[in-house]
Amino acid sequence: MTDTDGRPDPWLALAAASLAILLIAVNTTSINSAINDVADDLSLSTTTLTWVVNAYVVASAAFVALAGRLGDVIGIQRVFYVGYASFVVGSVGAAIAPGPEMLIGARLFQGLAAAILMTASTAAIGAATPAARKGLAMGIWGAVGGAGLALGPLWGAVLTDAIGWRAIFWADLLFIAAGAALAVIGLRNLPRPAAARFDVRAGIVLA
């Protein structure tokens, strides 16, 4: 569905962006409700447990600039696909992690995916939404993110009590499937990027 000027439908683009930020936000706080269960199951020290929580946040902040450049090179819609594919790897890795090393590595990978989706979602709103409605769209996007942060602990507690802490990460796959479908439908006809080169060394320095 597109507007008459050929741009993607702004509401579908907003839905795609909002689902992405919801996934990011829920993963920021849902683990907090499962901390004791994770520690008991994997026999984690307090320091290691801290990294299970913080690895995601650190990675998501560190790679934002790099992820933003990725969108300039391959296009916003493709960045969504890369972000969701990366989230699948991170979430499955965390769900099956037999020990702290793999769990922390998976959380780092989730954080990288979060950075990719964060920049892609704001770029999608900017590219698809008419100027007069961009403020409203960004307000809705931000509100969804705030709601995700608030609901994350409840979501994590329900899944942990009902199934176990690993269910938090398996449940991510439902968000990812819905988000990828919305990206396919809602982000068609976004402007294609001009030819650009991805400077790996500069990206590493920025990260």
Side-chain angles (χ1 to χ4, degrees):
M1 184 185 301
T2 60
D3 284 339
T4 55
D5 61 4
R7 286 186 303 193
D9 183 280
W11 294 110
L12 284 176
L14 175 59
S18 296
L19 193 52
I21 193 63
L22 181 63
L23 173 65
I24 294 167
V26 166
N27 271 272
T28 303
T29 56
S30 60
I31 190 65
N32 295 335
S33 301
I35 283 300
N36 291 335
D37 293 74
V38 175
D40 292 343
D41 188 23
L42 301 181
S43 300
L44 304 185
S45 66
T46 301
T47 301
T48 303
L49 198 61
T50 299
W51 273 107
V52 171
V53 176
N54 292 339
Y56 176 81
V57 178
V58 171
S60 62
F63 289 103
V64 165
L66 188 62
R69 181 57 179 162
L70 185 63
D72 296 334
V73 175
I74 68 172
I76 297 169
Q77 189 177 40
R78 289 178 179 175
V79 172
F80 267 88
Y81 301 153
V82 171
Y84 280 127
S86 300
F87 232 116
V88 168
V89 174
S91 296
V92 171
I96 66 174
E101 295 83 4
M102 184 171 176
L103 180 57
I104 292 172
R107 289 288 285 169
L108 285 168
F109 215 89
Q110 280 190 314
L112 170 62
I116 293 170
L117 289 174
M118 175 77 75
T119 58
S121 63
T122 56
I125 292 173
T129 308
R133 283 188 272 171
K134 282 183 181 178
L136 173 62
M138 289 303 300
I140 294 172
W141 178 85
V144 171
L149 290 173
L151 293 174
L154 177 60
W155 175 251
V158 169
L159 289 175
T160 300
D161 289 344
I163 305 173
W165 66 268
R166 296 177 190 273
I168 294 173
F169 301 108
W170 287 122
D172 284 341
L173 301 183
L174 299 176
F175 285 98
I176 292 167
L182 270 176
V184 171
I185 297 169
L187 301 178
R188 292 176 295 183
N189 300 320
L190 282 177
R192 293 184 179 275
R197 185 173 65 88
F198 191 81
D199 191 331
V200 176
R201 287 179 297 180
I204 293 173
V205 171
L206 282 172

